[in-house]
């Protein structure tokens, strides 16, 4: 890739290229951020601080000093002062680096070399302004760091403690080694970029290539790829850093921030080569497996260019750190989807920066060192834009937001290990999370980065993310194979059953057997962040009984902390009083200093010396300590129960007493919401008061959240309640629940949906919903279920039919449902019957998406499917089979259809993307190239009875091979002259190898695998 030097080394502004609008935004953000970065100046030391690598602010300074129209008023410091401070810092830290004889910092791979990379780049941008000694030191840092790293081979850095890439083997479960291998590359890159004359250069280049090519290593994919990157075959890779579903874990769960690290590292490294005017190493733009990894991130992308994070919480809303991966992918790789994401993030960046704590680029989560790092990465992102403008390449045209989410749409079950089912649709993102500690059903209408809180242990629909999953049933549906995108998940929990279906439009359905108090839990983000869509300082909730507007809390306020709650209620006689938790402190659960009970304001504390019990307790923090009269001792839930929402503590007064008030003295782990209950026998409890009091309570069965998300609640006696920014859809004891989530539905539409007739089910363990004509069925029991679902007739009079058997009734149809134990299904309309009179008793068996068998009373009907229609006459006593012409027989039996294929890019010479052979489109085709071989990952072990190929042009000689693990293949068998193989094998991976090319051009249009 062509390179043009960006290092001016003059301290003067660059006029080489006009920055684009996004680069302008980055420059302004850097200027504004300077008000924070100048707080890192240590006047006593005469340089920026080394605490949390604060001195890395010099890279942002260098860009401001050598580019753009410097604005001292915005920056809060004049240019000369900034220049002097930057040079003083470069001089000091160049001399104090361990590689130049100092002792303060440097050489240590984790994480000194990351900041060393920023430091060297800053020095190069200001090269002409540095004294000779500092230049020599900076040059030495680049050279000797590369040499130190190369000499480690594949071993660990002894200076870095326990940090390890595990050699070139890597690791993927719980903690990917993608990031660690990237650290080795960025320790080598400055030397490669700036010291090409060094006699040790070839060793550095070899080491850089090894680590870079293995960063996103996945053996099943890499072993199938003979393509050469920087002269080395991808098939020589050895690392396993990804799950086989192309997802990355860090800190024990799916971490989008760390999956982006592949391009964050590439952006840092590329900046050195481009600034030095050297060509980029091929691996930076031909990274093995980068394409599928990016596709995974698009599958969880928000409208703000930041991936949604339903698990790990400590890297969310780090907008300043999210820029560089997008800038690299957009400006260097030329990816239009990344360009849309970068544009969306840039449009929000200054509003984000203005929100308290003002000026900062990394807030809401992360580590202190992220702030100077965000400044450096924003500076690099600016340089990447500048490079593209100077290179003569056309600007990358971003996709529209509609195009982005159409391209990103799809459903994926990432497996039991990652514990994520993800469905990206044009209208919303939705996911089922079964990973321990993060269990939830997540939903983000309109992909809104700031609507619902869904990260970390934040509960969603389930009242707690801490439920234990003992069983997981998942079915995914794809447009190619099934005619629609959707998913049906059902989790068996230690406290019951809960299920979730996701629909093509972005709508969702949640069903529960009743797992705990306060089910249907949603946290709404409510901030006053001018310029950020949706965050205008309040959220409005509308229900059947009226509406309530909840104002945003102040930026520095928090709902947590120590608190005293005085609770008044109607005077009554009780022996037992209990605090039943609804929403715990998100970190520590519940903890009380005192539980006081009185009759009247001046009454004595009847609880003093009484007996107390609790659902759990931490050793040394027993429940009796709340009634001992000592204000310094306390009860706390056990560590294991901290995420549990319905923890409780109860006081037994020893006999029935008249009481009218309770005082709860909370430690900082104060319950965010709870119920106070009374009982005469300790068995039957009566709600006395709820804390906090709801802003809105409704029994109308629907709720509109700020015009962005609509919820329809069916069944159960509990009301819908809104407590500040918390929504509880079943505000009361655990009971069976069904909720439909409708993105963007108006209050009028929600009111109509709530009153619409719904399916009824004869089996008590099965729940059903009819949402946008998709039938969701949930078997919330441990036994298989065969039952009848009564589906109401549509207002148009048409009869909508689902796969299987149903009979027309006066009110609609009776559908025969067969469900496995603890499982859910989502059924689309397959066939529609219409006519002047469709008789009661007509039996319809839908075979597939185009065929139905009709029997029963004589009639003439129109049978429609997928927009096509045909007339049919049914005669009594005879079955009539009707097939709709030109309709597709969904679900298709082809096991290979739409599956992952290998090689992934980069492809070998002469080969086109093998995905074209399994995309269901006969107009696309795979060209093998010389001795070409492709692999299809069936997703799981499957029985295979037939393999069939269709070629454009002559059929080449070819053979298939089978594998269970993607590493070792056997059973190579030649296909027939017609390109067909009948077999009896079990495999997950199926390879097709072209043995001898056919005469002329041959291209594979279809590769079909059936059981």
């Amino acid at each position: 890739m062509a390179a043009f030097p960006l290092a001016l080394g003059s301290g003067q502004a660059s006029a080489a290229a006009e920055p684009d609008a996004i680069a302008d935004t980055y420059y302004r953000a850097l200027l504004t951020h300077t008000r924070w970065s100048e707080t890192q100046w240590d006047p006593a030391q005469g340089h920026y601080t080394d605490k949390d690598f604060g001195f890395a602010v010099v890279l942002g300074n260098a860009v401001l000093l050598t580019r753009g129209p410097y604005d001292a008023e915005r920056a809060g410091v004049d240019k000369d002062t900034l220049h002097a401070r930057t040079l003083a810092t470069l001089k000091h830290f160049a001399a104090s680096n361990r590689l130049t004889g100092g002792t303060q910092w440097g050489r240590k791979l984790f994480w000194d070399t990351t900041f060393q990379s920023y430091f060297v780049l800053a020095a190069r941008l200001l090269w002409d302004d540095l004294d000779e000694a500092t230049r020599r030191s900076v040059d030495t840092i680049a050279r000797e760091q590369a040499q130190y790293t190369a000499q480690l081979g594949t071993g660990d850095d002894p200076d870095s403690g326990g940090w390890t890439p595990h050699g070139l083997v890597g690791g993927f479960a719980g903690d990917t080694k993608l990031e660690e291998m990237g650290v080795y590359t960025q320790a080598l890159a400055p030397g490669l970029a700036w010291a090409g004359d060094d006699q040790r250069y070839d060793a550095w280049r070899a080491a850089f290539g090894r680590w870079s090519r293995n960063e996103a290593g996945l053996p099943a994919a890499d072993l199938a790829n003979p393509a050469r990157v920087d002269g080395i075959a991808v098939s020589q890779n050895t690392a396993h850093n990804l799950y086989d579903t192309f997802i990355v874990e860090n800190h024990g769960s799916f971490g989008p921030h760390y999956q982006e690290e592949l391009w964050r590292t590439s952006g840092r490294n590329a900046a050195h080569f481009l600034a030095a005017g050297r060509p980029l190493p091929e691996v930076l733009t031909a990274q093995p497996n980068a394409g599928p990894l990016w596709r995974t991130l698009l599958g969880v992308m928000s409208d703000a260019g930041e991936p949604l994070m339903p698990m790990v919480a400590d890297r969310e809303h780090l907008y300043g750190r999210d820029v560089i991966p997008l800038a690299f992918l957009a400006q260097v790789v030329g990816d239009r989807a990344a360009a849309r994401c970068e544009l969306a993030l840039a449009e929000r960046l200054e509003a984000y920066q203005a929100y308290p704590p003002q000026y900062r680029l990394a807030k809401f989560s992360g580590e202190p060192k992220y702030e100077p790092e965000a400044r450096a990465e924003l500076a690099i992102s600016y340089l990447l834009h500048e490079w593209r403008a100077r290179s003569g390449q056309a600007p990358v045209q971003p996709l529209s937001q509609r195009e982005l989410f159409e391209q990103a749409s799809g459903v994926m079950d990432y497996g039991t290990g990652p514990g994520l089912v993800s469905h990206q649709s044009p209208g919303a993102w939705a996911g089922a999370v079964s990973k321990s500690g993060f269990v939830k059903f997540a939903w983000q209408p309109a992909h809104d980065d700031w609507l619902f809180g869904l990260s970390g242990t934040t509960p969603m629909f389930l009242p707690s993310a801490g439920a234990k999953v003992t069983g997981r049933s998942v079915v995914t549906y794809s447009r190619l194979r099934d005619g629609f995108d959707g998913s049906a998940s059902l989790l068996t929990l230690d406290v019951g059953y809960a299920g979730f279906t996701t629909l093509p439009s972005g709508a969702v359905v949640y069903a529960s057997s009743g797992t705990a108090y306060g089910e249907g839990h949603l946290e709404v983000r409510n901030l006053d962040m001018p310029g950020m869509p949706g965050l205008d300082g309040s959220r409005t909730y509308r229900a059947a009984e009226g509406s309530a507007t909840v104002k945003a809390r102040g930026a520095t306020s928090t709902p947590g902390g120590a608190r005293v709650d005085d609770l008044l209620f109607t005077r009554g006689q009780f022996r037992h009083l209990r605090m039943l938790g609804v929403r715990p402190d998100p970190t520590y659960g519940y903890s009380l200093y005192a539980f006081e009970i009185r009759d009247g304001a001046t009454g004595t504390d009847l609880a003093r010396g009484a007996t107390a019990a609790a659902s759990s307790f931490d050793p040394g923090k027993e429940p009796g300590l709340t009634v001992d009269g000592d204000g310094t001792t306390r009860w706390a839930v056990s560590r294991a129960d901290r995420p549990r929402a319905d923890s409780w503590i109860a006081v037994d007064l020893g006999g029935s007493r008249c009481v009218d008030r309770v005082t709860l003295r909370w430690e900082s782990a104060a319950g965010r919401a709870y119920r106070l209950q009374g009982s005469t026998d300790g068995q039957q409890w009566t709600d006395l008061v709820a804390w906090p009091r709801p802003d809105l309570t409704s029994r109308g069965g629907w709720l509109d959240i700020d015009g962005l998300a609509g919820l329809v609640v069916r069944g159960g006696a509990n009301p819908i309640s809104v407590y500040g920014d918390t929504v509880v859809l079943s505000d009361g004891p655990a009971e069976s629940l069904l909720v439909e989530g409708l993105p963007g539905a108006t209050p009028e539409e929600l009111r109509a949906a709530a009153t619409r007739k719904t399916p009824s089910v004869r089996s008590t363990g099965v729940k059903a919903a009819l949402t946008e004509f998709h039938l969701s069925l949930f078997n919330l029991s441990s036994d298989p279920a065969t039952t009848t679902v009564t589906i109401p007739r549509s207002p148009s009079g048409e009869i909508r039919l689902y796969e299987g058997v149903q009979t027309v009734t006066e009110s609609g149809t009776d559908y025969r449902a067969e469900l496995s134990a603890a499982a859910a299904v989502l059924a689309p309309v397959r066939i529609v019957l219409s006519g002047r009179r469709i008789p009661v008793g007509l039996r319809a068996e839908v075979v597939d998406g185009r065929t139905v068998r009709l029997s029963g009373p004589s009639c003439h009907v129109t049978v429609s499917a997928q927009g096509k229609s045909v007339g049919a006459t049914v005669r009594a006593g005879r079955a009539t089979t009707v097939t709709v012409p030109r309709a597709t027989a969904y679900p298709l039996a082809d096991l290979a259809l739409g599956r992952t294929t290998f090689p992934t890019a980069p492809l070998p010479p002469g080969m086109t993307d093998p995905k074209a052979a399994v995309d269901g489109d006969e107009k696309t085709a795979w060209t093998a190239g010389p001795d070409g071989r492709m692999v299809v990952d069936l997703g799981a072990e499957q029985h295979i009875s037939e393999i069939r190929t269709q070629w454009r042009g002559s059929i080449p000689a070819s053979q298939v091979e089978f594998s269970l693990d993607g590493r070792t293949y056997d059973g190579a068998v030649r296909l027939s002259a017609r390109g067909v193989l009948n077999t009896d094998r079990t495999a997950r991976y199926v390879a097709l190898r072209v043995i001898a090319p056919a005469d002329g051009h041959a291209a594979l249009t279809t590769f079909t695998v059936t059981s």
Side-chain angles (χ1 to χ4, degrees):
M1 180 170 288
F4 299 87
L6 300 177
L8 300 179
S10 65
Q12 301 300 312
S14 168
E18 286 294 327
D20 57 28
I22 293 178
D24 281 345
T25 297
Y26 294 163
Y27 192 87
R28 289 194 306 272
L30 285 170
L31 282 168
T32 301
H33 188 255
T34 304
R35 289 183 173 269
W36 174 85
S37 67
E38 283 302 287
T39 66
Q40 303 302 292
W41 176 254
D42 186 339
Q45 297 293 325
H47 55 72
Y48 294 107
T49 182
D50 64 348
K51 186 177 186 296
D52 299 317
F53 297 100
F55 63 87
V57 301
V58 294
L59 180 51
N61 294 1
V63 166
L64 293 176
L65 292 167
T66 59
R67 271 90 177 145
Y70 186 84
D71 184 340
E73 183 175 353
R74 182 184 284 267
V77 61
D78 66 86
K79 188 174 183 179
D80 289 342
T81 299
L82 188 71
H83 185 253
R85 290 178 173 180
T86 302
L87 294 184
T89 300
L90 290 170
K91 180 177 181 178
H92 171 81
F93 285 99
S96 66
N97 190 287
R98 296 183 185 97
L99 294 162
T100 60
T103 59
Q104 188 173 12
W105 76 295
R107 193 182 65 203
K108 185 166 67 172
L109 264 63
F110 300 90
W111 298 93
D112 289 33
T113 56
T114 302
F115 296 88
Q116 199 169 264
S117 174
Y118 305 143
F119 180 85
V120 170
L121 185 57
R124 286 291 176 171
L125 292 178
L126 292 167
W127 195 250
D128 288 349
D129 298 342
L130 302 180
D131 62 78
E132 188 59 34
T134 300
R135 287 187 199 172
R136 285 196 304 271
S137 292
V138 171
D139 184 62
T140 297
I141 290 170
R143 292 172 187 268
E144 297 312 313
Q145 184 67 65
Q147 180 62 13
Y148 175 83
T149 306
Q151 285 183 333
L152 290 174
T154 60
D156 295 344
D157 173 25
D159 291 343
S160 293
W163 290 101
T164 175
H166 290 163
L168 287 176
V169 175
F172 67 96
D175 182 19
T176 180
K177 296 306 174 183
L178 181 156
E179 181 185 27
E180 283 83 345
M181 291 189 183
V183 168
Y184 279 67
T185 73
Q186 67 192 23
L188 291 154
L192 289 171
W194 301 106
D197 60 343
D198 198 294
Q199 63 181 3
R200 304 166 292 182
Y201 183 88
D202 288 344
W204 304 346
R205 183 175 60 184
F208 181 85
R210 282 194 301 271
W211 291 115
S212 295
R213 287 188 300 275
N214 278 278
E215 275 186 84
L218 177 63
D222 294 341
L223 291 171
N225 194 351
R228 291 182 174 273
V229 177
D230 292 317
I232 306 296
V234 175
S235 57
Q236 292 187 26
N237 285 358
T238 56
H240 190 172
N241 289 336
L242 319 177
Y243 275 94
D244 55 17
T245 48
F246 293 97
I247 196 169
V248 158
E249 285 190 333
N250 204 291
H251 296 302
S253 67
F254 171 43
H257 178 86
Y258 294 95
Q259 193 150 319
E260 288 181 312
E261 199 65 32
L262 183 66
W263 306 286
R264 191 173 284 112
T265 299
S266 295
R268 295 171 187 142
N269 293 342
H272 283 277
F273 291 101
L274 298 176
R278 297 182 64 87
L280 291 181
E282 184 182 7
V283 69
L284 291 182
T285 54
Q287 180 68 249
N289 304 318
L293 273 182
W294 175 233
R295 170 72 193 182
T296 297
L297 288 183
L298 288 176
V300 295
M301 188 57 69
S302 75
D303 65 342
E306 180 191 55
L308 297 165
M309 302 184 187
M311 296 187 219
V312 63
D314 63 344
R315 301 297 182 266
E316 187 180 29
H317 293 135
L318 286 172
Y319 278 12
R321 301 276 340 263
D322 292 328
V323 170
I324 190 172
L326 303 176
F328 176 80
L329 280 167
Q331 304 310 313
V332 179
V333 179
D335 187 280
R336 295 183 64 203
R340 160 50 54 183
C341 295
E342 187 187 12
L343 175 60
L345 191 58
E347 289 174 340
R348 293 161 170 79
L349 187 60
E350 289 178 284
Y352 172 94
Q353 194 176 16
Y355 188 77
Q358 197 174 8
Y359 312 129
R360 289 177 55 180
L361 291 165
K363 56 189 80 174
F364 297 104
S365 63
E367 305 171 30
K369 69 178 182 180
Y370 279 12
E371 197 61 44
E373 192 161 14
R375 180 177 180 83
E377 291 176 351
L378 196 63
I380 291 173
S381 300
Y382 178 95
L383 294 175
L384 296 181
H385 277 260
E386 182 184 279
W387 167 79
R388 183 151 194 113
R390 295 184 64 188
S391 71
Q393 298 182 75
V396 181
Q397 295 299 317
L399 298 176
S400 67
Q401 182 164 307
R402 178 186 59 80
E403 290 171 330
L404 172 69
F405 288 111
E406 285 179 353
Q407 178 177 309
S409 289
V411 186
M412 185 68 183
D413 176 11
Y414 288 97
T416 303
L420 175 66
V421 180
S422 173
H423 183 177
Q424 186 76 283
S425 70
W429 177 79
V433 181
S434 55
K435 193 77 170 180
S436 178
F438 307 105
V439 180
K440 70 190 70 171
F441 297 104
W443 184 46
Q444 202 66 288
H447 321 97
D448 188 336
D449 200 28
W450 292 97
L451 179 55
F452 291 129
L454 53 74
S455 65
T457 59
T458 303
M460 200 159 195
F461 286 106
L462 287 168
S464 166
K468 181 180 179 182
V469 177
T470 60
R472 178 182 187 267
S473 169
V474 175
V475 182
T476 60
Y477 307 89
S478 73
R479 198 177 312 171
L480 275 178
R481 186 178 62 250
D482 303 286
F484 73 105
D485 286 337
S487 71
S489 304
L490 199 135
L491 301 181
T492 303
L493 308 172
D494 55 341
V495 288
Y497 300 89
F500 201 55
T501 56
T502 65
L503 279 60
S505 67
V508 298
V509 180
Y510 169 75
S512 166
S513 62
T515 65
Y517 198 102
E519 197 144 6
H521 186 112
L522 300 169
E523 295 286 337
V524 180
R525 296 191 185 278
N526 187 4
L527 302 173
D528 189 1
M529 193 184 298
M532 191 70 72
L535 299 183
D536 57 3
S538 66
R539 296 287 192 183
T540 297
Y541 302 87
R542 299 173 181 86
E545 294 84 351
S547 65
T549 297
V550 177
K551 291 186 176 181
R553 294 189 299 270
T556 58
S557 67
T558 172
R563 193 180 69 234
V564 176
D565 294 343
D566 291 312
L567 308 171
L568 303 179
F569 46 89
T570 302
R571 190 168 186 260
Q573 285 204 331
F574 303 101
R575 174 174 174 170
H576 305 269
L577 287 106
R578 177 172 77 168
M579 184 287 299
L580 176 64
V582 172
R583 185 160 52 101
D585 175 86
T587 305
Y588 298 108
Y590 301 91
S591 181
L592 276 172
Y593 285 114
F595 193 134
E596 302 171 3
I597 303 171
R598 291 182 173 83
D599 184 21
T602 60
T604 59
D605 178 9
L606 302 176
R608 181 76 60 86
T611 301
S615 54
S616 70
F617 60 87
D618 211 22
K621 298 179 178 63
E622 292 79 9
L625 298 177
T626 63
V627 293
D628 64 353
D630 185 343
T632 64
T633 61
R634 61 187 175 93
W635 160 76
V637 295
S638 67
R639 290 176 181 268
D641 271 8
R642 284 174 176 178
R644 178 178 169 181
D646 62 344
S647 294
W648 56 266
I649 181 170
V651 175
D652 180 356
L653 298 177
S656 185
R657 306 291 295 270
C658 284
V659 296
D660 68 353
R661 65 196 65 216
V662 164
T663 298
L664 299 180
R665 302 188 185 276
W666 292 97
E667 194 253 353
S668 57
R672 300 289 179 87
Y674 60 89
R675 298 269 177 171
L676 182 72
Q677 299 177 313
S679 173
T680 57
D681 59 5
Q683 300 297 318
Q684 300 297 317
W685 296 90
T686 300
D687 285 346
L688 302 177
V689 65
W691 193 97
R693 295 191 183 278
D695 295 279
L696 179 68
T697 298
S698 173
R699 294 186 179 275
W702 62 271
L703 180 70
D704 165 66
I705 300 176
D706 215 29
L708 301 171
L711 297 150
V712 177
V713 182
R714 303 193 189 279
N718 296 326
I720 301 168
S721 295
V722 176
Y723 297 92
D725 299 325
T726 299
V727 173
V728 182
L729 300 174
S730 179
D731 193 14
E735 64 175 5
S736 185
L737 180 69
L738 192 144
V739 179
E740 295 171 75
L742 307 173
T746 66
E748 291 73 23
E749 291 168 334
L750 294 171
R751 185 179 291 107
T755 57
R756 192 175 298 135
K757 290 183 178 179
T758 60
S760 60
V761 187
R762 293 180 187 174
S763 172
T764 56
V766 175
K767 280 196 167 292
L770 190 62
T771 311
E772 297 172 351
F773 301 117
H774 285 73
L775 181 63
S776 297
L777 296 172
F778 304 90
N779 182 6
L780 304 171
S781 74
S782 59
D783 298 315
T786 298
T787 189
T788 298
V789 181
T790 298
I791 302 173
R793 187 185 295 255
S794 70
S796 65
E798 296 175 328
I799 300 295
R800 292 179 167 83
L801 304 178
Y802 300 86
E803 191 170 332
V805 176
Q806 48 248 285
T807 304
V808 176
T809 65
E810 288 286 355
S811 59
T813 55
D814 279 349
Y815 175 74
R816 185 173 182 267
E818 296 182 2
L819 296 166
S820 300
V825 297
L826 178 64
V829 174
R830 290 297 189 198
I831 301 286
V832 177
L833 302 181
S834 58
R836 293 182 59 188
R837 188 183 65 84
I838 301 176
V840 171
L842 181 66
R843 182 180 185 273
E845 180 184 358
V846 175
V847 178
D848 55 40
R850 66 177 183 179
T851 302
V852 60
R853 296 191 186 101
L854 301 173
S855 60
S858 297
C859 61
H860 183 81
V861 294
T862 298
V863 181
S864 303
Q866 303 158 39
K868 286 88 174 176
S869 299
V870 65
T873 298
V874 180
R875 301 191 186 281
R878 295 173 55 185
T880 300
T881 299
V882 183
T883 298
V884 180
R886 300 183 305 282
T888 303
Y890 296 120
L892 302 177
D894 181 4
L895 299 173
L897 191 62
R899 295 296 184 184
T900 298
T901 57
F902 309 135
T904 66
L907 297 171
M911 182 182 289
T912 59
D913 193 343
K915 185 188 302 182
V918 297
D919 64 359
D921 185 351
E922 293 186 358
K923 296 189 291 296
T924 64
W926 173 64
T927 301
D931 193 29
R933 179 176 180 269
M934 64 169 280
V935 175
V936 179
D937 177 2
L938 302 180
E941 292 183 16
Q942 302 280 1
H943 175 262
I944 300 169
S945 61
E946 182 184 76
I947 295 173
R948 184 175 292 272
T949 62
Q950 294 183 16
W951 295 85
R952 184 186 301 150
S954 302
I955 301 176
S958 56
Q959 68 182 29
V960 293
E961 304 157 359
F962 303 93
S963 175
L964 295 174
D965 61 5
R967 296 172 181 258
T968 304
Y969 287 79
D970 61 16
V973 184
R974 289 278 294 262
L975 274 68
S976 71
R978 298 175 59 190
V980 177
L981 173 69
N982 292 310
T983 185
D984 182 13
R985 290 295 302 261
T986 296
R988 171 173 172 173
Y989 300 89
V990 180
L992 175 71
R993 183 188 296 276
V994 176
I995 302 172
D999 295 335
H1001 179 75
L1004 181 66
T1005 60
T1006 306
F1007 183 77
T1008 302
V1009 179
T1010 52
S1011 177

